[in-house]
Amino acid sequence: MEEKLIKDYSSSGRKGYSLPPLEVEKSDLEAELTGYLRDDLELPEVSEVDVVRHYTALSEMNYGVDSGIYPLGSCTMKYNPKRNERVARIAGLTNIHPYQPEKQLQGSLEILYQLKLDLAEISAMDEITLQPASGAHGEFVSLMIVKKYFEEREENRTKVIVPDSAHGTNPASAAMAGFDVVEIASNERGMVDLEALAEALDENTAALMLTNPNTLGIFEEDILKITEMVHQAGGLVYYDGANMNAIMGYAKPGLMDFDLMHFNLHKTFSTPHGGGGPGSGPVGVKDFLAPYLPRPLLKKDEEKYYWDYQRPKSIGKVHSFYGNYGVMLRAWAYIKTLGGRGLKKTTENAVLNANYLKARLKKDFELPYAEDSLHEFVLSGSRQKEEGVSTLQIAKRLLDYDQYAPTIYFPLVVKEAMMIEPTETENIGTLDHFIETMLTISREIKEDPELVNKAPHSTTVRKLDETKAARNPDLHW
Amino acid sequence: MMDYISNTAAEKDKMLQEIGLKEVKDLFQMIPEAVSADERLNIESGISELELMRRAQLQAGKNKSLDQQISFLGAGAYDHYLPGIIDALISRSEFYTAYTPYQAELSQGTLEAAYEYQSMICDLTGMGIANASMLDGGSAAAEAVTMAARITGNSRVLLPDTVNPAYREVIKTYGAGAELEFVDLESKQQIINPAQIEKNINDQTAVVVLQYPNFYGSLEKMEEISKMIKNKKNTLLLVIANPILLGVLKAPADFGADIVVGEAQNLGNGLNYGGPNLGFMACKDDRRMLRQLPGRIVGKTTDVDGKEGFVLTLQTREQHIRREKATSNICTNEALNALMATIYLATMGKEGLKEVGEQCYHKAHYLAKKINGLSGFEVLNQDNFFNEFVLKSEKESTEVFEELLQEEIIVGYDLKNIGENGILVCVTEKRTKAEMDKLVEKLEVL
Ligand SMILES: Cc1ncc(COP(=O)(O)O)c(C=O)c1O
């Protein structure tokens, strides 16, 4: 450990806080709470300076988008604008309680309503809920909507079809909603295999879950045929919106005949990922599914914005309140800053950057699917693997050059996968630097594979033993 | 307008040349015309930072925030003191602009902080294992219920009406997915009668859910109910705890809890209109439970040189490995909020957390005594509450609520919203004597 744990700074009786005096007379807490009291808490006793130095030291052992390129495929790690952070810290917008009367919060509700309208415009969906707090949460909401819809229609549809290239949250969400998951193989071009789809579809099919472009970055060019096939079988089609950065201003899920979808505000709309969260995963639906959206739904009448709780067909709530409002404020600020044209330009540059990287890397690394791709692409490290170095080690070696690694070993359809998504906020300078580093590593693999196999060398800790961590779990101090 | 794109026109041309295309729009030729959007998105043109800030301030001006009035609102979202160092530290962009720590060697800051968070949650709850966060209190409770069903193989859930009604609704949404059966239990005098549990518990019961303190602020008969559950081989006790009060209140583990969850927004996180919040989840140190625990978990290990470090671990429970067989679909969590809670707990320490709890208690009881002295008003919980209580008035609760609003006081959560006549009043350490006295004074003349 480069920096000891906060508890190791502890010294009995040291304090890092102060509160105003109590002012009121004390109750007889000991007597009144007999049997409910404790005296065994062991939280650290440290000073304010200890805390500040410790967490500053930890931050120095971390890497964010502000540190450099973060080419994690499927994660859309774009720059997180500082002005969005300013907006999300305005006391009048944030020091508000979820149960304050709506009449006191018209300013905030109007922001949320504008965000809903803009998301609907971007996606060609009719109604939006902002309640889900992450992409996966939005997936779960969507599948519960599918379930409720068919229950209402008294149709017993138990199956959800998921391509083998899908993100793990897709099948996991389907299972949580009580569906059986049917996986279908992709074809040799990396797209949905229409024959496999036709075979999987039947009267028990509730939905197909699809992202487009898919996780290989490839646009499903038969998309209208796909949605038509599912609809003809009586099923619904769900769009995983993780890849919206690839199509804004160029295509809309609603026009592709998807029935419902989720957005990831923490990907497409620039909100910071916080080292794992918080995110926000709004769900958009076509009109006929709107009655099933979670309660409450934000609405507007002539004079005010309000939460509509009178939703008898709703799937219910999935969050204690209205979702991750602080994240929505940032996404609102982002959309207002860019406007419609800016969003379209975002997509154009995201796709341009990805294609430039691909063009320059595909000679040295295998490109398993030659198909044109959009905002991300997947390389295979299989050639390097034959030379004795796995994709994992290529990723670790990148860290030595102070750059974050791509998503690895996903999607599962590619061996030794490296999924690369530069986003639009990189420029040719940082892309060239990344390319040169990758080419250097490719050369190192030929000349000195051990150097790469033993990476990383220069990080605060070197390669960590994951097997040991799982075998002998040490999960707290 | 600002778009954060920095490739120049000449650079774009060079890149296109490398790709072998003439124009940017050629990159999109595979998209069929029928699905392509109109020429441009119908969203108003972008604005500068100056205009954005003006617009945001304008919206803020249409709100009335808690800075502009006295608030006794709680009911699941709490207004506690936030040490200034929290925002300063989490504003370090190495923390907040990072992704989930997939590359551990370059993410030791996030990982070590998460390990500290898990440790402090174990300390607070008395449990042996904690995960790295859940989306919020409601979804944590719901995922704990489905986890209990998986562990026990049972599907019957005893759900008292003293559990936060919003949580109950979230639990039932998840329960519909997992096809669970719910038995709603009715309370009397703000707590659940243990006889109700005794009557409804059977061998098919997966879990009994208790909130601690409960939605109305009262303490359930934890010990007595826990004993009944322990008599059943295959039934778990799930406790939804308020973490900030665990500096004073006995750890749920000491009442025999098998799983403990809750909302940790009140540990160093602001209100933000109810999100982002912070769900926490902890369970017994038991392999069978650990295998069913949802969410990310950080573990300590060593590197090739024997130096200690941290990684994401036990990932074979998770969606990216197990797909439809995963314990949950959760991927993105509330890591930054967990970091805020960690910094809060480190700053307050055991003394500070205890003092916060005690101040909440004494102040709430001060206010309750004053209210009990007024004619036309009473505190329904009698003496059994911590820092939230139900105010009952001769007048309709909504009338009382609205009249006090005129006086710049939000007296609490109007239980009319859930079909009851009363107001749930919450007192934190932030409320001053003057604020409480003003409330009493206004109540007196209503
Ligand atoms: C394609 C895809 N779908 C769904 C998700 C899940 O989103 P979240 O992490 O917000 O739950 C992700 C995120 O990694 C993703 O890449």
Side-chain angles (χ1 to χ4, degrees):
Chain A
M1 236 181 294
E2 192 75 6
E3 165 64 16
K4 64 185 179 183
L5 294 164
I6 186 71
K7 82 162 169 57
D8 296 326
Y9 287 91
S10 192
S11 174
S12 181
R14 190 172 283 160
K15 261 193 192 177
Y17 80 98
S18 69
L19 288 172
L22 180 62
E23 294 183 303
V24 302
E25 75 203 56
K26 289 188 177 178
S27 304
D28 192 356
L29 184 147
E30 264 86 39
E32 289 161 6
L33 291 178
T34 311
Y36 287 95
L37 292 171
R38 78 188 294 171
D39 202 12
D40 59 349
L41 200 64
E42 287 172 6
L43 292 177
E45 296 175 85
V46 292
S47 73
E48 178 164 332
V49 179
D50 290 335
V51 175
V52 170
R53 291 213 178 122
H54 172 67
Y55 290 99
T56 300
L58 291 191
S59 75
E60 286 165 351
M61 292 153 51
N62 238 26
Y63 182 99
V65 184
D66 285 3
S67 315
I69 191 168
Y70 220 115
L72 273 178
S74 208
C75 301
T76 315
M77 289 296 282
K78 59 174 74 179
Y79 170 65
N80 310 133
K82 305 307 160 194
R83 65 191 67 174
N84 301 356
E85 298 302 310
R86 280 182 82 190
V87 168
R89 283 171 172 76
I90 293 174
L93 290 177
T94 56
N95 193 18
I96 56 175
H97 190 285
Y99 289 142
Q100 272 180 256
E102 287 154 5
K103 61 187 169 197
Q104 291 194 335
L105 300 174
Q106 289 296 304
S108 288
L109 294 180
E110 188 176 8
I111 286 178
L112 300 186
Y113 199 81
Q114 289 176 2
L115 179 60
K116 269 177 56 152
L117 291 181
D118 289 343
L119 292 177
E121 167 63 19
I122 292 164
S123 62
M125 288 290 161
D126 299 318
E127 185 55 279
I128 308 273
T129 173
L130 301 169
Q131 197 177 116
S134 71
H137 212 201
E139 292 175 22
F140 174 66
V141 163
S142 301
L143 287 155
M144 289 306 292
I145 290 173
V146 169
K147 185 173 171 127
K148 190 98 190 212
Y149 170 76
F150 286 119
E151 270 170 21
E152 288 270 327
R153 295 169 60 96
E154 296 182 11
E155 289 182 57
N156 182 29
R157 290 178 176 263
T158 53
K159 282 188 349 194
V160 166
I161 303 172
V162 177
D164 56 2
S165 61
H167 194 259
T169 50
N170 289 188
S173 300
M176 273 172 78
F179 289 108
D180 298 326
V181 176
V182 180
E183 192 176 277
I184 55 168
S186 309
N187 66 21
E188 68 287 347
R189 294 171 65 201
M191 302 184 199
V192 170
D193 184 329
L194 297 184
E195 271 169 40
L197 177 62
E199 214 162 288
L201 283 169
D202 62 23
E203 71 284 355
N204 290 323
T205 303
L208 167 71
M209 301 180 82
L210 203 63
T211 177
N212 194 18
N214 61 31
T215 58
L216 295 161
I218 298 171
F219 194 88
E220 301 279 355
E221 61 181 20
D222 291 325
I223 187 60
L224 287 172
K225 177 91 185 120
I226 293 169
T227 46
E228 190 192 335
M229 283 167 71
V230 180
H231 286 148
Q232 250 163 20
L236 299 177
V237 204
Y238 162 81
Y239 181 80
D240 175 337
N243 292 340
M244 283 299 288
N245 216 40
I247 60 166
M248 283 189 294
Y250 277 90
K252 295 182 178 185
L255 301 178
M256 299 181 216
D257 275 344
F258 283 94
D259 302 294
L260 71 175
M261 68 172 289
H262 87 260
F263 299 84
N264 294 69
L265 300 189
H266 47 294
K267 298 178 195 259
T268 319
F269 300 100
S270 86
T271 73
H273 207 270
S280 174
V283 165
V285 297
K286 293 280 176 68
D287 267 333
F288 74 103
L289 293 175
Y292 306 98
L293 285 168
R295 276 171 16 118
L297 192 67
L298 183 60
K299 291 247 185 98
K300 181 190 178 192
D301 62 22
E302 291 84 56
E303 70 253 41
K304 62 176 193 308
Y305 299 92
Y306 66 99
W307 291 108
D308 180 12
Y309 282 89
Q310 303 311 315
R311 307 191 59 75
K313 291 188 176 176
S314 166
I315 62 160
K317 285 174 76 65
V318 293
H319 186 272
S320 313
F321 300 107
Y322 319 106
N324 281 347
Y325 167 80
V327 179
M328 299 167 205
L329 285 181
R330 291 169 172 89
W332 173 82
Y334 179 73
I335 294 173
K336 290 297 150 222
T337 299
L338 274 82
R341 276 192 53 200
L343 292 173
K344 184 167 180 177
K345 222 174 130 191
T346 287
T347 285
E348 288 172 349
N349 272 268
V351 174
L352 177 66
N353 280 351
N355 275 277
Y356 175 70
L357 276 187
K358 182 168 95 170
R360 292 208 42 206
L361 288 173
K362 68 182 180 195
K363 285 178 227 92
D364 290 71
F365 295 88
E366 187 177 311
L367 179 68
Y369 294 99
E371 215 61 41
D372 289 340
S373 56
L374 289 165
H375 70 307
E376 67 189 1
F377 60 102
V378 180
L379 296 174
S380 166
S382 51
R383 253 184 258 159
Q384 286 72 19
K385 177 86 175 173
E386 273 167 32
E387 294 168 340
V389 177
S390 65
T391 282
L392 177 68
Q393 283 314 118
I394 296 173
K396 296 301 176 201
R397 186 62 182 149
L398 268 167
L399 311 183
D400 277 334
Y401 291 99
D402 235 341
Q403 292 175 78
Y404 211 77
T407 296
I408 53 174
Y409 300 107
F410 177 77
L412 305 178
V413 294
V414 173
K415 286 205 186 84
E416 298 293 316
M418 286 181 273
M419 185 191 208
I420 304 176
E421 179 182 11
T423 84
E424 74 283 1
T425 54
E426 297 305 320
N427 62 31
I428 192 168
T430 53
L431 297 178
D432 282 344
H433 181 54
F434 179 75
I435 291 161
E436 279 148 27
T437 310
M438 288 293 283
L439 299 183
T440 303
I441 295 172
S442 155
R443 224 177 307 119
E444 286 173 347
I445 290 170
K446 291 189 173 61
E447 290 161 7
D448 185 3
E450 275 316 278
L451 175 71
V452 182
N453 272 332
K454 294 224 163 86
H457 302 273
S458 62
T459 42
T460 49
V461 287
R462 295 194 46 219
K463 195 160 159 212
L464 291 155
D465 189 344
E466 296 195 9
T467 313
K468 177 179 167 187
R471 205 162 281 162
N472 308 306
D474 175 351
L475 311 177
H476 61 83
W477 61 47
Chain B
M1 197 267 252
M2 178 69 180
D3 54 26
Y4 314 107
I5 291 161
S6 57
N7 286 318
T8 65
E11 285 167 341
K12 284 182 197 168
D13 284 343
K14 189 172 156 204
M15 293 164 80
L16 283 167
Q17 212 174 353
E18 184 75 39
I19 298 164
L21 293 176
K22 276 215 191 62
E23 284 183 280
V24 167
K25 72 172 200 294
D26 298 341
L27 290 162
F28 298 88
Q29 42 65 34
M30 79 290 267
I31 297 181
E33 206 157 303
V35 308
S36 51
D38 308 336
E39 264 311 285
R40 65 189 169 82
L41 290 167
N42 188 17
I43 292 176
E44 62 177 320
S45 309
I47 55 179
S48 64
E49 179 168 4
L50 199 55
E51 293 161 294
L52 175 71
M53 294 313 292
R54 264 189 220 132
R55 187 149 349 160
Q57 290 291 0
L58 183 75
Q59 293 306 116
K62 298 182 199 167
N63 282 352
K64 183 159 179 167
S65 79
L66 295 191
D67 296 321
Q68 296 163 282
Q69 53 199 328
I70 302 170
S71 163
F72 294 91
L73 269 172
Y78 298 104
D79 180 26
H80 289 276
Y81 156 66
L82 303 175
I85 63 171
I86 298 174
D87 194 49
L89 288 168
I90 63 121
S91 294
R92 292 191 64 92
S93 67
E94 298 87 342
F95 281 134
Y96 83 85
T97 74
Y99 201 76
T100 302
Y102 292 140
Q103 294 298 335
E105 295 83 0
L106 216 48
S107 315
Q108 285 297 296
T110 294
L111 287 162
E112 186 169 334
Y115 179 87
E116 294 179 342
Y117 164 81
Q118 291 172 187
S119 302
M120 295 189 201
I121 293 295
C122 286
D123 190 5
L124 287 175
T125 58
M127 306 303 279
I129 297 169
N131 75 11
S133 74
M134 300 296 287
L135 297 174
D136 80 329
S139 70
E143 294 224 31
V145 166
T146 56
M147 170 181 167
R150 287 193 306 272
I151 292 170
T152 59
N154 282 340
S155 59
R156 183 179 162 96
V157 180
L158 301 195
L159 196 55
D161 67 5
T162 52
V163 170
N164 184 324
Y167 289 22
R168 274 187 277 145
E169 202 174 329
V170 178
I171 290 171
K172 286 189 175 172
T173 306
Y174 279 69
E179 283 154 25
L180 303 182
E181 173 208 345
F182 291 95
V183 183
D184 298 308
L185 305 180
E186 237 176 80
S187 58
K188 249 208 182 119
Q189 288 168 334
Q190 283 63 54
I191 58 169
I192 208 75
N193 184 343
Q196 279 268 44
I197 307 272
E198 186 79 79
K199 202 171 88 194
N200 287 287
I201 198 167
N202 63 20
D203 291 338
Q204 282 70 52
T205 306
V207 61
V208 177
V209 187
L210 291 179
Q211 193 175 340
Y212 175 62
N214 71 24
F215 178 66
Y216 300 107
S218 290
L219 291 160
E220 304 280 6
K221 300 210 159 76
M222 303 293 284
E223 197 80 58
E224 207 178 326
I225 295 173
S226 176
K227 280 208 188 100
M228 293 169 183
I229 297 167
K230 298 300 149 189
N231 282 334
K232 295 280 167 205
K233 253 199 348 262
N234 223 7
T235 304
L236 303 184
L237 171 59
L238 166 62
V239 174
I240 303 171
N242 182 340
I244 205 167
L245 304 182
L246 295 178
V248 176
L249 287 175
K250 200 163 165 174
D254 293 339
F255 294 113
D258 297 290
I259 310 172
V260 182
V261 297
E263 176 55 66
Q265 166 271 326
N266 54 10
L267 302 176
N269 283 257
L271 283 166
N272 290 307
Y273 200 40
N277 278 3
L278 170 60
F280 70 91
M281 185 180 282
C283 68
K284 278 189 172 156
D285 188 357
D286 170 324
R287 275 274 157 176
R288 203 169 57 125
M289 292 212 181
L290 178 56
R291 266 202 300 276
Q292 292 299 336
L293 191 68
R296 307 221 185 263
I297 300 176
V298 173
K300 188 156 88 172
T301 184
T302 45
D303 73 1
V304 289
D305 298 329
K307 193 169 168 184
E308 287 186 325
F310 302 89
V311 291
L312 292 174
T313 192
L314 301 162
Q315 299 189 65
T316 50
R317 302 162 298 109
E318 291 187 61
Q319 46 76 26
H320 59 289
I321 313 267
R322 292 298 297 282
R323 299 176 77 83
E324 68 271 19
K325 296 198 178 63
T327 56
S328 167
N329 66 347
I330 190 168
C331 181
T332 288
N333 59 16
E334 308 288 307
L336 197 71
N337 306 91
L339 175 62
M340 293 168 82
T342 309
I343 298 170
Y344 176 79
L345 290 170
T347 303
M348 301 309 283
K350 64 175 180 186
E351 283 306 316
L353 204 68
K354 190 165 176 225
E355 191 178 340
V356 167
E358 287 176 352
Q359 285 216 9
C360 290
Y361 186 88
H362 294 309
K363 287 185 174 180
H365 284 253
Y366 168 81
L367 179 61
K369 272 176 210 143
K370 290 248 165 173
I371 287 173
N372 271 329
L374 299 175
S375 70
F377 296 98
E378 70 173 313
V379 171
L380 288 184
N381 317 53
Q382 290 164 340
D383 258 350
N384 177 19
F385 66 94
F386 198 97
N387 71 323
E388 286 187 278
F389 56 80
V390 180
L391 167 66
K392 179 81 191 293
S393 51
E394 276 167 10
K395 279 193 187 175
E396 279 290 299
S397 59
T398 306
E399 223 177 295
V400 175
F401 182 92
E402 289 295 332
E403 285 185 34
L404 286 165
L405 210 55
Q406 303 296 319
E407 306 289 344
E408 322 252 274
I409 298 174
I410 306 180
V411 57
Y413 176 66
D414 184 0
L415 294 172
K416 259 280 132 56
N417 290 309
I418 56 164
E420 296 171 28
N421 184 22
I423 293 169
L424 184 62
V425 179
C426 173
V427 186
T428 70
E429 81 285 7
K430 267 182 83 175
R431 297 287 71 81
T432 62
K433 180 168 181 295
E435 289 172 338
M436 292 187 282
D437 289 346
K438 178 168 175 196
L439 170 59
V440 174
E441 191 185 298
K442 297 297 173 192
L443 280 173
E444 204 166 6
V445 297
L446 268 193

